Each structure stands twice: as C-alpha cells, then as structure tokens.
Amino acid sequence: MKVEHLAIWVGDLEAIKSFYVKYFGAIASDLYHNPKKNFKSYFLTFADGDTRLELMQQPDHHQKGISTQLGWAHMALSLGSREAVDEYTERFRRAGITIHSEPRTTGDGYYESVILDPEGNIIELTV
C-alpha cells in the first residue's frame, strides 16, 4: 500500500501551482475544470514520480458547509540531506517566503525547517 496523493484546498490555484513548480520542481498536469461544480484542480508530481499533490479550488466550497478546519496539519518533503534542508531554507528566506521554524533537530530526531506556502499552509523540509 502507498499514498496515491494528498489534496489541499487553495484560494489562488495558479499562484500555489507556480510556487510548487518553481521551488520544488513539481510538474503540473493540465488544468482539470468541471464547470458544473465550478471545480478546478491540478495534480503536481514530484521528482520521485510517485508523490503527487492535488491542488483544488472551488469558490463556493466553504459555503456548502464543508469544513476544512480539521484535517492535515502539514506536508513534509524529504530533501535528502541536512545540507539540502539548510540550502532550501536560505533560498526561501531570500525569496521572502515565511520561515516558520529554523533548521533544527526535533525531539523525535528529525532534522527539519518549516516554511509557509503563499496561503499559509505548513511545509516541513526534512532529510
């Protein structure tokens, strides 16, 4: 068994897609649009070819009584080394992206830093 993909609701679909493509080398699918439901999405595939993230947008989503307050707390991306975590953190800092937590070794042994994507979603950068 493996996780096929993770999905996240976004406000600015194009901006968030561009963020993951630019900074993480994700490859975006063609835009999917269901006009009947006013739903749009992209699937982003990362370098390993197996990991995918679905970015979803539906303007009236919150008005339908669907809560997104509970659910995933963050997404962790493995960068392969402590050096890569440090390098990515500095790259994001130079780009003006919010550094939520500086590189550190956590109590459970992970070396990580934490950034926020343009809509405030938490991304752990780890080895």
Side-chain angles (χ1 to χ4, degrees):
M1 183 185 312
K2 71 173 188 167
V3 174
E4 204 287 326
H5 72 272
L6 301 173
I8 188 169
W9 290 108
V10 302
D12 188 333
L13 188 61
E14 295 301 324
I16 298 298
K17 177 192 79 159
S18 295
F19 173 81
Y20 285 95
V21 168
K22 178 178 181 178
Y23 291 107
F24 294 106
I27 298 171
S29 67
D30 291 336
L31 175 68
Y32 169 74
H33 181 214
N34 180 330
K36 183 178 178 181
K37 293 184 177 183
N38 198 20
F39 173 83
K40 295 178 181 178
S41 71
Y42 285 105
F43 274 97
L44 304 180
T45 303
F46 293 87
D48 68 1
D50 288 331
T51 305
R52 297 192 318 152
L53 175 65
E54 183 181 13
L55 305 178
M56 306 180 307
Q57 181 186 55
Q58 189 175 28
D60 61 350
H61 174 76
H62 297 289
Q63 296 166 0
K64 291 180 177 181
I66 300 169
S67 173
T68 59
Q69 297 302 308
L70 299 176
W72 300 107
H74 65 267
M75 173 175 59
L77 298 175
S78 174
L79 303 178
S81 70
R82 291 172 66 105
E83 293 78 16
V85 171
D86 294 342
E87 290 168 9
Y88 269 77
T89 302
E90 289 309 311
R91 179 179 181 199
F92 288 124
R93 187 184 324 280
R94 287 190 303 273
I97 293 165
T98 301
I99 308 300
H100 185 68
S101 173
E102 295 292 334
R104 66 189 178 98
T105 301
T106 64
D108 54 357
Y110 282 92
Y111 186 76
E112 68 178 34
S113 70
V114 179
I115 66 163
L116 302 181
D117 78 10
E119 292 190 354
N121 298 299
I122 298 170
I123 303 168
E124 285 184 3
L125 306 173
T126 189
V127 174

